[in-house]
Amino acid sequence: MSKRLRNAELCADCSVTEPRWASVNRGVLICDECCSVHRSLGRHSSQVRHLMHTPWPSTQLQMVQTLYSNGANSIWEHSLLDPASVMSGKRKANPQDKLHPNKSEFIRAKYQMLAFVHRMPCREDDSLTAKDLSKQLHSSVRTGNLETCLRLLSLGAQANFFHPEKGNTPLHIAAKAGQVSQAELLTVYGADPGAPDSNGKTPIDYAREAGHHDLADRLVEIQYELTDRLAFYLCGRKPDHKNNQHFIVPQMADSSLDLSELAKAAKKKLQSLSNHLFEELAMDVYDEVDRRETDAVWLATQNHSTLVTETTVVPFLPVNPEYSSTRNQGRQKLARFNAHEFATLVIDILSDAKRRQQGNSVASPKDNVELILKSVGVRHCSDSQDNDQPDYDSVASDEDTDQELPSSKGDRTKSLDSDLSDSPITMQEYLDVKTALSASEAKIQHLMKANNNLSDELRLMQKKASKLEKQSSMPESDYDNTFNDSEMDDSGLCRRGRLRSSGWLGEGTSIPELDDVEMESDPSLPSTEDVIRKTEQITKNIQELLRAAQDNKHDSFIPCSERIHVAVTEMAALFPKKPRSETVRSSLRLLTSSAYRLQSECRKAVPSEGCPGPDMQLVTQQVIQCAYDIAKAAKQLVTITTKENTN
């Protein structure tokens, strides 16, 4: 379809005519000036595309146009439509306003702080509110009313919500009903095209069964969006998914060079990263590809004779507040890579993504991503040319103008490459798998020992807490146990919207050491005794899960994870919705997101009918990592409340 829009279109933020950019996840059109501010917010707030000079999936462009023409902007400016807002002095930016500070401050308030979005009435249990909204979303996607679904998503409905009675997600419903634009919107907000329903069927399956073959093909593209985007960035073409070709791994033009020792070490580190850390790195590289490509479009479309310094390129990835400072620093370092170095890293990620999908994975969850970012320079990809990677393109080295990772959606995808002529497993591969299994068993033993130590520490803290003056009343808890998209879908790499979402916060976010944090006394925190009691319950359930892992009782994973999730929810409910301490907030995020991720990982232990059996070694390793994160967060919350309540 044509990308040209009617001249009557106005910028959603300042009302300038003929906007040339779109914010995909916000469903609005914006002008060049406002786009420069959107880009500085980061993709987790706004995902921008040029209407004419950026390749668009036609169905995604149609979705944005439909949202804009049906008033999606009123969702983000809800309170400004109230006549009372004029009396209070609140107003949107206009064409005559200066970009800085007028337009930029308005845009940040509108999209980053969501200052004008309609707020739901306060309720005692916010998690119930999110569940109700998600159920409404589940019902709404069978119709074509896009703006209703965007409004529900803006209020906290979850695109990946699994309906307990229906046994499926909103994307299953939209796919079966052939609602193409609804499917596009849901996937922008992180919905997983490869998520199985209670019958083991994915949204792709339902689209095909209902005869919506174009939609099914599009969902497959979305599933592989991350690796497709990286391949297209290097060689200008994408895999032929219709013929079961799901990866293109380009080759560096200077492949005759020998690998340096540092480059070899970097590649080895990349291959030994846990799926979770590998996903995070791949997502960050995706964002850097987007930044670089959008910069190129930006520079090519500006009137350089009148270009002002206010609207410039974005020099590096903006900070995502949901990521740790270490990860944000690593993301920004990606901008320092020259074209050759960055292409090398992209090729390594594509190669390893393909290897991981095919199950040849060895994991070491604590390996260092930093070494990879420092040392991918002078290397080539001749060692990527094995029997399972026949598709190569030559990549020039001159300057170019941003669990389980088979695709943008994780290893829930069970499809294989068309090139199945892999060589027989080598002795080295066998030894690698055997070593990884031994490491997994050793980690189980280590974690069980750590949890026993945690139990001892908890008993000691409980004795200390008994000496404290008991609080006569508990503050009513309204801690928000809802999850954003980045927490909801730990195994996905769909980069659309999750960064907002996105669309992926916190599972690996590091928590600052307590001794390094200046914490004010927070009188709203619960008593130490209550926190210890809930932590003991969590620890007991974790130990049960680890024993099941040690005894290979994989059918016990799901009930164990459900008990852990209940205990975590009860513990999180002790805390206020917005604790004063950032450390408390970070620990609660890690606690709740890890519990949700644990449930997701444990579900993978149950084979789906008609699908290949899961790689239990990988599943067990991910389950252990989730349990470790939960125990770590619970221990920190005990330490924090003990310190606070003794002050």
Side-chain angles (χ1 to χ4, degrees):
M1 63 176 289
S2 172
K3 297 180 184 177
R4 192 169 299 279
L5 300 175
R6 300 188 304 275
N7 290 337
E9 303 291 1
L10 302 177
C11 172
D13 297 334
C14 72
S15 301
V16 166
T17 58
E18 299 184 30
R20 300 194 297 173
W21 296 81
S23 174
V24 180
N25 58 322
R26 303 300 185 180
V28 296
L29 308 182
I30 51 179
C31 67
D32 285 15
E33 271 198 348
C34 292
C35 177
S36 69
V37 182
H38 277 249
R39 294 199 59 220
S40 69
L41 300 180
R43 295 189 74 255
H44 51 283
S45 290
S46 182
Q47 301 164 36
V48 298
R49 283 177 177 265
H50 196 278
L51 293 171
M52 302 293 293
H53 295 278
T54 301
W56 278 79
S58 60
T59 51
Q60 188 183 74
L61 179 61
Q62 181 61 54
M63 180 268 291
V64 173
Q65 290 176 317
T66 301
L67 281 173
Y68 182 80
S69 62
N70 287 311
N73 194 42
S74 64
I75 295 173
W76 314 113
E77 295 183 357
H78 176 84
S79 65
L80 295 180
L81 301 177
D82 186 345
S85 67
V86 178
M87 302 300 295
S88 66
K90 294 180 181 178
R91 68 170 182 86
K92 71 179 295 176
N94 61 50
Q96 289 73 40
D97 283 334
K98 291 183 178 180
L99 177 60
H100 299 293
N102 305 72
K103 290 183 180 180
S104 62
E105 288 183 356
F106 170 74
I107 291 169
R108 290 182 184 278
K110 179 178 176 181
Y111 299 107
Q112 199 171 54
M113 305 179 69
L114 301 180
F116 314 119
V117 171
H118 173 67
R119 301 294 180 185
M120 295 292 289
C122 294
R123 290 179 49 170
E124 293 183 2
D125 191 342
D126 287 345
S127 64
L128 287 180
T129 301
K131 186 175 182 179
D132 291 342
L133 290 168
S134 299
K135 285 186 174 181
Q136 291 181 45
L137 177 68
H138 193 278
S139 300
S140 300
V141 294
R142 67 180 71 252
T143 72
N145 198 333
L146 275 181
E147 59 275 19
T148 296
C149 292
L150 180 60
R151 190 178 302 276
L152 290 168
L153 289 164
S154 75
L155 293 173
Q158 298 298 333
N160 263 323
F161 173 72
F162 190 87
H163 199 295
E165 289 83 30
K166 307 292 185 181
N168 53 22
T169 69
L171 189 55
H172 285 93
I173 300 300
K176 185 175 182 179
Q179 292 291 345
V180 179
S181 291
Q182 293 284 22
E184 288 284 354
L185 178 61
L186 289 169
T187 54
V188 161
Y189 275 81
D192 183 356
D197 66 359
S198 56
N199 295 317
K201 293 184 178 181
T202 68
I204 298 171
D205 295 331
Y206 279 104
R208 292 208 190 282
E209 289 176 3
H212 309 304
H213 297 293
D214 288 343
L215 174 56
D217 291 341
R218 173 64 183 140
L219 290 174
V220 172
E221 290 178 1
I222 292 170
Q223 199 165 30
Y224 286 90
E225 181 189 7
L226 187 147
T227 48
D228 282 5
R229 178 78 178 271
L230 298 189
F232 190 83
Y233 171 74
L234 291 182
C235 62
R237 67 187 184 94
K238 296 180 180 180
D240 184 1
H241 296 294
K242 291 183 180 180
N243 289 320
N244 278 334
Q245 180 205 42
H246 298 307
F247 291 92
I248 293 177
V249 183
Q251 178 186 8
M252 292 298 293
D254 57 353
S255 59
S256 61
L257 297 177
D258 290 330
L259 285 176
S260 69
E261 290 304 315
L262 191 59
K264 289 178 181 177
K267 183 180 180 183
K268 186 175 180 181
K269 287 287 186 183
L270 180 69
Q271 291 177 340
S272 62
L273 286 176
S274 70
N275 288 316
H276 173 58
L277 291 178
F278 178 71
E279 287 167 4
E280 286 189 345
L281 177 61
M283 287 158 40
D284 295 343
V285 170
Y286 177 102
D287 285 356
E288 176 65 13
V289 164
D290 181 81
R291 184 194 70 82
R292 293 184 182 212
E293 289 186 333
T294 308
D295 267 353
V297 173
W298 175 267
L299 291 171
T301 56
Q302 296 303 298
N303 182 345
H304 293 278
S305 63
T306 60
L307 185 63
V308 293
T309 57
E310 286 183 315
T311 57
T312 59
V313 297
V314 177
F316 47 75
L317 290 175
V319 171
N320 185 335
E322 301 292 2
Y323 293 161
S324 67
S325 58
T326 301
R327 184 174 178 187
N328 276 310
Q329 290 167 5
R331 283 162 57 85
Q332 293 182 355
K333 287 180 181 178
L334 291 171
R336 299 181 188 174
F337 285 33
N338 62 33
H340 180 279
E341 293 168 341
F342 189 62
T344 299
L345 178 58
V346 170
I347 290 170
D348 279 348
I349 288 175
L350 285 169
S351 177
D352 212 50
K354 184 173 184 178
R355 179 182 66 82
R356 287 170 188 253
Q357 185 192 34
Q358 294 177 339
N360 303 322
S361 172
V362 291
S364 178
K366 300 302 179 185
D367 273 325
N368 188 0
V369 179
E370 190 71 13
L371 175 61
I372 297 166
L373 295 180
K374 288 180 178 178
S375 57
V376 292
V378 276
R379 65 138 298 184
H380 64 86
C381 288
S382 60
D383 51 319
S384 296
Q385 301 180 51
D386 48 31
N387 291 335
D388 67 329
Q389 294 165 352
D391 294 308
Y392 293 102
D393 282 324
S394 180
V395 180
S397 57
D398 54 335
E399 202 63 35
D400 297 320
T401 33
D402 131 46
Q403 300 176 44
E404 296 168 303
L405 175 92
S407 64
S408 66
K409 287 297 184 178
D411 78 342
R412 294 173 182 163
T413 317
K414 299 300 180 182
S415 55
L416 298 174
D417 274 355
S418 58
D419 45 284
L420 298 177
S421 58
D422 292 336
S423 58
I425 185 167
T426 66
M427 178 59 68
Q428 184 59 46
E429 289 171 332
Y430 169 79
L431 292 175
D432 287 345
V433 173
K434 185 176 180 181
T435 301
L437 184 57
S438 299
S440 176
E441 293 171 351
K443 183 158 187 179
I444 292 176
Q445 296 290 346
H446 173 74
L447 191 52
M448 290 195 68
K449 182 179 179 181
N451 274 275
N452 288 331
N453 293 337
L454 178 59
S455 297
D456 294 337
E457 290 182 31
L458 290 173
R459 282 191 288 272
L460 180 60
M461 288 182 178
Q462 197 166 27
K463 290 179 181 178
K464 292 180 180 179
S466 65
K467 299 177 183 179
L468 301 174
E469 181 179 359
K470 293 185 177 180
Q471 297 181 353
S472 58
S473 61
M474 274 286 293
E476 185 175 352
S477 167
D478 61 349
Y479 177 71
D480 190 353
N481 286 312
T482 59
F483 303 88
N484 67 18
D485 290 344
S486 61
E487 293 169 314
M488 287 288 293
D489 189 355
D490 68 281
S491 62
L493 286 182
C494 177
R495 295 311 297 154
R496 316 148 58 90
R498 271 194 211 201
L499 311 170
R500 56 209 184 275
S501 99
S502 251
W504 258 41
L505 97 97
E507 300 135 16
T509 302
S510 61
I511 308 298
E513 292 300 322
L514 299 180
D515 293 341
D516 297 335
V517 180
E518 292 289 336
M519 295 192 301
E520 295 181 89
S521 178
D522 192 344
S524 62
L525 292 180
S527 70
T528 306
E529 286 184 326
D530 288 332
V531 176
I532 288 176
R533 186 165 56 251
K534 293 299 181 184
T535 302
E536 286 181 328
Q537 185 179 354
I538 292 172
T539 302
K540 179 181 177 181
N541 290 324
I542 286 177
Q543 289 173 333
E544 182 183 353
L545 175 65
L546 295 178
R547 282 192 291 269
Q550 190 175 27
D551 297 335
N552 292 322
K553 295 180 179 178
H554 302 128
D555 55 345
S556 298
F557 278 15
I558 291 180
C560 285
S561 69
E562 289 174 349
R563 286 191 288 272
I564 291 172
H565 188 269
V566 170
V568 164
T569 302
E570 291 175 353
M571 181 168 179
L574 296 175
F575 290 81
K577 181 178 180 180
K578 294 182 179 179
R580 185 178 303 167
S581 167
E582 173 57 31
T583 309
V584 175
R585 293 196 295 271
S586 297
S587 297
L588 286 168
R589 274 202 301 270
L590 180 64
L591 182 75
T592 54
S593 64
S594 298
Y596 191 92
R597 187 159 57 95
L598 176 65
Q599 285 191 303
S600 176
E601 294 296 338
C602 287
R603 282 196 290 267
K604 296 174 186 175
V606 180
S608 300
E609 185 177 353
C611 296
D615 184 336
M616 292 313 304
Q617 176 201 343
L618 295 179
V619 171
T620 301
Q621 289 171 344
Q622 295 299 322
V623 166
I624 293 170
Q625 184 64 51
C626 294
Y628 175 88
D629 290 340
I630 293 170
K632 172 185 173 183
K635 180 179 177 181
Q636 282 199 310
L637 289 169
V638 171
T639 306
I640 294 168
T641 52
T642 300
K643 182 177 180 180
E644 288 283 337
N645 291 326
T646 53
N647 286 341

